[in-house]
Amino acid sequence: MSAPQTTEADIYYGGVYLTSAFVKYDPLNVEIIDPLPVVQAIPNVKNPTALAAHLGGPRPTNSARICTSRLRDGCGSLQPEVADIIFDEGNFRLDLFISPDELLLHRIELERYLPPASTEPSALHNLRFSLSGTGSDNQYNLSSESFVARGETRVRARYGVSDDGAALHELTWQKDGKDHEYEVGSFRTIGRNVAFTSDIDVLGVRLATSTKRRMDLDQATATPLFLFLGERSRVDVYRNGELLDSRYYEAGNQQLDTSSFPDGAYDVELRISGHSGTEQTETQFFVRSHLMPPKGEPQFYLEAGSTMNSIDNTTPELDGGAWLHAGYSTRVRDDLAVDSEYIYSDGTSILQSGAYVVRQRWNLYSGVMWSSEGDRGMALRGGLNHEKFMAYVDLRKVTVASDPVPYDEFALLRESYTQGSATLS
């Protein structure tokens, strides 16, 4: 009766039925006759051929690990270096257990980009009107912003009519690529984290990375959470006792879906309920901040052209000064990002750089600035979130080396100043 026998067995992986295969067994050992098709049915295996070779030949049945009752502690599971099995002869069932090192990470599958636009040409117009005055001294202003678009390309115009006459302020051609945006025409500079200088209208070109068409930003701007699950499990995610998410994941190396988690930095408690009734809990640190670029995806922008006057003229007029503006930011760690920016305008160069860190109870941005004229600047912005109060502070100081100059629309730094605000609630 102890002679080797051959039968068809149900193969289970992660507590879930996988496939059926013929096995040869005796009271001590069991052998999957053709292990390669079995291994190929397991998702996310790094090297199916090598794993099938490891499972080839007789292997111990590990029958002592069969769960005859859910009250038995530690039954129904193994922690192999590569792979191992539990064979239940009475039920013709074979359970496979595979090491996390032999499995690829199963990442969250989200659509990365919005699909290409499929509509016909479209237009959008915004109108704003204001009127004020006393007696015979009346002032009015009608301002408008218009977009005419086709696909991912559009023309934008900003114009207005007031008691001083009609004026065209901006006129630009824009295009949204998947990860980049392009702009040509007259536009207002953008892109700084903490600005020590005034915004300026320029005529030129702009190239920048862009996330406008991204659909996965809620996942991409967050700390990835990973788990190894020995069996199909329900994972409940809690923050300070509040349930944030609950869903089922299959066995293997899994990335959790964090798209519904709120912004901030905090510990999350993962309560894992296995298919066989096992339960375990672990804690991981989570960070999401849309003020930081996605991890592994540095962001940059580059503007080049000439400064122009769009306020005192019917149409924008070139000031004649050359303009160059470039910036770069990257996330160094899950909770730390750095950025740098360079500006050149009419013979003056400015370099500013800063770092942003977010932790469980506080966040802080610190930046500094230098110019070729000897000007200096520093900025500090942060918040503290205590159990009983919240505090925010925003400080900025600029020291201009030269004497103050009369108002100049194109001056990057006109005079020294100190600004500050604080809030306690």
Side-chain angles (χ1 to χ4, degrees):
M1 294 182 65
S2 63
Q5 301 183 57
T6 300
T7 189
E8 187 177 29
D10 294 331
I11 310 297
Y12 281 73
Y13 170 67
V16 178
Y17 173 76
L18 183 68
T19 184
S20 295
F22 283 97
V23 298
K24 183 188 296 184
Y25 69 97
D26 59 36
L28 298 178
N29 298 289
V30 62
E31 176 184 356
I32 303 175
I33 295 177
D34 187 6
L36 184 57
V38 175
V39 172
Q40 290 174 335
I42 302 173
N44 303 309
V45 175
K46 288 182 180 178
N47 191 333
T49 303
L51 186 58
H54 177 80
L55 289 171
R59 303 192 64 81
T61 60
N62 291 308
S63 57
R65 306 289 293 182
I66 297 174
C67 283
T68 56
S69 168
R70 287 198 173 187
L71 299 177
R72 289 188 57 189
D73 186 29
C75 69
S77 64
L78 294 171
Q79 295 180 343
E81 293 185 3
V82 178
D84 217 333
I85 61 178
I86 296 178
F87 180 57
D88 185 352
E89 175 186 347
N91 291 305
F92 305 102
R93 170 171 173 160
L94 188 149
D95 284 82
L96 277 174
F97 299 88
I98 301 175
S99 167
D101 297 334
E102 302 300 318
L103 300 171
L104 298 170
L105 173 66
H106 180 74
R107 296 188 177 275
I108 297 298
E109 295 182 3
L110 299 173
E111 290 293 335
R112 186 176 175 89
Y113 302 102
L114 288 168
S118 59
T119 60
E120 296 298 323
S122 57
L124 173 67
H125 304 282
N126 295 322
L127 291 172
R128 294 174 294 276
F129 179 74
S130 61
L131 174 66
S132 64
T134 55
S136 60
D137 183 15
N138 298 318
Q139 295 180 343
Y140 69 90
N141 181 68
L142 174 65
S143 60
S144 180
E145 187 174 30
S146 297
F147 298 86
V148 178
R150 181 182 179 87
E152 287 75 43
T153 303
R154 62 189 172 274
V155 175
R156 171 180 173 267
R158 186 170 64 86
Y159 49 92
V161 178
S162 67
D163 52 330
D164 293 328
L168 173 65
H169 303 304
E170 293 181 73
L171 180 62
T172 179
W173 172 89
Q174 301 171 334
K175 179 178 177 59
D176 290 329
K178 284 188 174 181
D179 292 303
H180 297 83
E181 61 181 3
Y182 312 89
E183 190 167 11
V184 179
S186 60
F187 53 85
R188 199 157 185 83
T189 61
I190 55 176
R192 290 181 295 274
N193 193 345
V194 171
F196 293 97
T197 62
S198 302
D199 290 337
I200 291 179
D201 293 316
V202 299
L203 177 66
V205 298
R206 173 181 170 85
L207 168 65
T209 50
S210 173
T211 57
K212 290 180 180 178
R213 293 183 62 184
R214 293 283 292 273
M215 296 181 63
D216 64 341
L217 280 184
D218 285 336
Q219 188 78 19
T221 56
T223 304
L225 299 182
F226 303 117
L227 279 178
F228 172 72
L229 302 175
E231 58 181 334
R232 188 173 189 268
S233 305
R234 189 186 78 240
V235 180
D236 300 328
V237 185
Y238 288 84
R239 180 188 68 168
N240 297 329
E242 174 192 2
L243 180 65
L244 299 181
D245 189 70
S246 178
R247 67 185 68 206
Y248 281 90
Y249 294 91
E250 300 300 327
N253 295 319
Q254 297 286 343
Q255 179 183 9
L256 303 189
D257 187 349
T258 61
S259 56
S260 63
F261 294 10
D263 282 19
Y266 44 86
D267 288 327
V268 290
E269 182 184 12
L270 310 177
R271 301 179 187 176
I272 306 162
S273 302
H275 183 77
S276 63
T278 60
E279 295 184 356
Q280 59 178 326
T281 301
E282 66 176 79
T283 301
Q284 295 192 29
F285 183 64
F286 175 79
V287 177
R288 166 180 285 125
S289 174
H290 288 85
L291 297 177
M292 297 181 178
K295 192 173 182 180
E297 302 180 36
Q299 305 290 295
F300 74 88
Y301 49 89
L302 175 64
E303 300 170 349
S306 177
T307 56
M308 64 179 190
N309 188 335
S310 63
I311 297 178
D312 301 328
N313 302 284
T314 301
T315 58
E317 292 185 359
L318 293 179
D319 175 61
W323 172 263
L324 180 65
H325 181 195
Y328 178 87
S329 62
T330 184
R331 184 180 289 207
V332 180
R333 298 194 318 245
D334 292 334
D335 59 352
L336 174 65
V338 296
D339 61 71
S340 295
E341 182 181 63
Y342 173 78
I343 303 175
Y344 174 85
S345 178
D346 199 20
T348 300
S349 296
I350 289 180
L351 178 65
Q352 53 192 42
S353 184
Y356 178 69
V357 60
V358 54
R359 297 300 297 169
Q360 188 161 358
R361 293 291 184 183
W362 56 273
N363 63 83
L364 180 68
Y365 179 88
S366 178
V368 292
M369 178 272 292
W370 306 268
S371 83
S372 58
E373 305 298 321
D375 308 321
R376 299 289 184 269
M378 61 79 64
L380 191 67
R381 183 183 70 232
L384 177 64
N385 186 2
H386 193 263
E387 293 179 355
K388 297 185 178 181
F389 68 87
M390 292 182 293
Y392 299 93
V393 64
D394 191 345
L395 301 174
R396 192 174 310 170
K397 179 178 178 63
V398 171
T399 302
V400 176
S402 58
D403 295 331
V405 297
Y407 179 79
D408 181 0
E409 181 187 356
F410 307 103
L412 293 177
L413 298 169
R414 300 188 182 96
E415 60 183 356
S416 301
Y417 68 86
T418 300
Q419 295 177 333
S421 65
T423 302
L424 177 65
S425 59

